[in-house]
Amino acid sequence: MIDKTLNYIFEGTIKFKTLAVGRTDAMVSANETAFELFLEQPILDFDEFIKQFNYYLPQDIRALTIKEVDKDFNIIQNAKLKEYVYLFAHGQKAHPFCASIMTTFRDALDIKLMTKGAKLFEGTHNFKGFCSNVSENSVYIREVVSCELIENTLISASFFPKESYVLKVKGEGFGYNQIRIMMGTLVKLGKHEIALEDISKSLQPESIKVMDYIAPASGLILNSVEFK
């Protein structure tokens, strides 16, 4: 839709190419993300461009800002930090309007225990057991800069449950389904199906344990991308 909108704005006369910062699963939302726009001629008025861009973009996409970068910048290879949040409630059936951005786990969960479990993911660990479609060429020793499970004050709506929670995870990069499997593992912890020790052992360099519960995609949001 971004390429289609740009083609309309440039009236098919200006050659361009876009490069996204990354991909997400279907049903995953983005609060802030980024793409790189390559042009054969410069944009002279950034404010006017953003205004026109937003006018023609569909309602579920909004451009926030634009910044010029030099020719050596690469949106994929340049160092960056991504923050994902997973929005959820538990112990009830939530209003259907919640479904697009919040997952409701119908079982009652031990939130205090899950809060302790979230902190175990911080640091450099072996996340191979927390990724889908593993291969020999992929990198699974990754650093999670921060990981915390807190009360939700980030997003609100009149139809939200009285209490909801957010798992916030920040790092330079994540494996396929890694955040969703981390969340799923915490749900199993909250249901007392596994213990804190099980999570600790699964993160060890020599671990071959596979964590098998992938939390639904609808609660996951790419919250921000910060370039260094």
Side-chain angles (χ1 to χ4, degrees), residues 10-206:
F10 296 143
E11 299 178 341
T13 61
I14 299 176
K15 291 183 179 181
F16 70 90
K17 181 178 180 180
T18 58
L19 183 63
V21 71
R23 297 178 296 173
T24 59
D25 296 344
M27 298 181 69
V28 174
S29 300
N31 184 44
E32 290 182 16
T33 186
F35 70 92
E36 193 170 3
L37 174 60
F38 300 89
L39 288 165
E40 289 187 334
Q41 57 193 71
I43 295 172
L44 301 178
D45 188 334
F46 283 175
D47 291 337
E48 181 59 29
F49 173 79
I50 286 288
K51 182 179 178 181
Q52 190 178 21
F53 192 36
N54 275 321
Y55 185 85
Y56 290 110
L57 279 169
Q59 291 189 29
D60 59 348
I61 305 176
R62 180 175 62 141
L64 301 175
T65 186
I66 183 171
K67 179 181 179 180
E68 187 175 5
V69 293
D70 63 44
K71 64 180 179 62
D72 296 322
F73 179 82
N74 184 293
I75 198 167
I76 295 177
Q77 296 177 357
N78 274 61
K80 54 191 170 288
L81 286 177
K82 291 182 179 180
E83 181 180 76
Y84 281 91
V85 297
Y86 195 99
L87 183 62
F88 73 97
H90 71 108
Q92 59 186 301
K93 182 69 177 286
H95 193 290
F97 289 177
C98 296
S100 62
I101 57 172
M102 175 187 289
T103 293
T104 304
F105 300 102
R106 296 182 189 133
D107 296 310
L109 302 175
D110 187 337
I111 298 296
K112 287 185 178 180
L113 184 61
M114 292 170 68
T115 300
K116 293 179 181 178
K119 302 305 287 185
L120 296 176
F121 292 122
E122 289 187 346
T124 302
H125 304 290
N126 170 25
F127 286 98
K128 187 173 184 178
F130 293 83
C131 297
S132 300
N133 298 337
V134 298
S135 67
E136 295 301 321
N137 297 325
S138 297
V139 177
Y140 298 108
I141 303 297
R142 295 177 178 268
E143 181 186 10
V144 170
V145 175
S146 63
C147 183
E148 59 179 350
L149 195 154
I150 56 175
E151 220 174 300
N152 170 39
T153 58
L154 182 68
I155 302 174
S156 62
S158 60
F159 50 82
F160 273 15
K162 184 178 179 181
E163 293 181 344
S164 58
Y165 301 88
V166 168
L167 175 69
K168 294 177 67 175
V169 186
K170 183 180 287 189
E172 288 192 7
F174 302 96
Y176 183 52
N177 280 337
Q178 182 180 333
I179 306 293
R180 290 171 60 190
I181 295 176
M182 288 166 61
M183 184 67 226
T185 300
L186 291 178
V187 171
K188 293 183 74 171
L189 178 68
K191 292 166 67 174
H192 298 138
E193 294 179 0
I194 61 173
L196 290 171
E197 185 180 2
D198 295 317
I199 297 178
S200 296
K201 288 181 177 179
S202 67
L203 294 168
Q204 295 301 311
E206 68 281 1

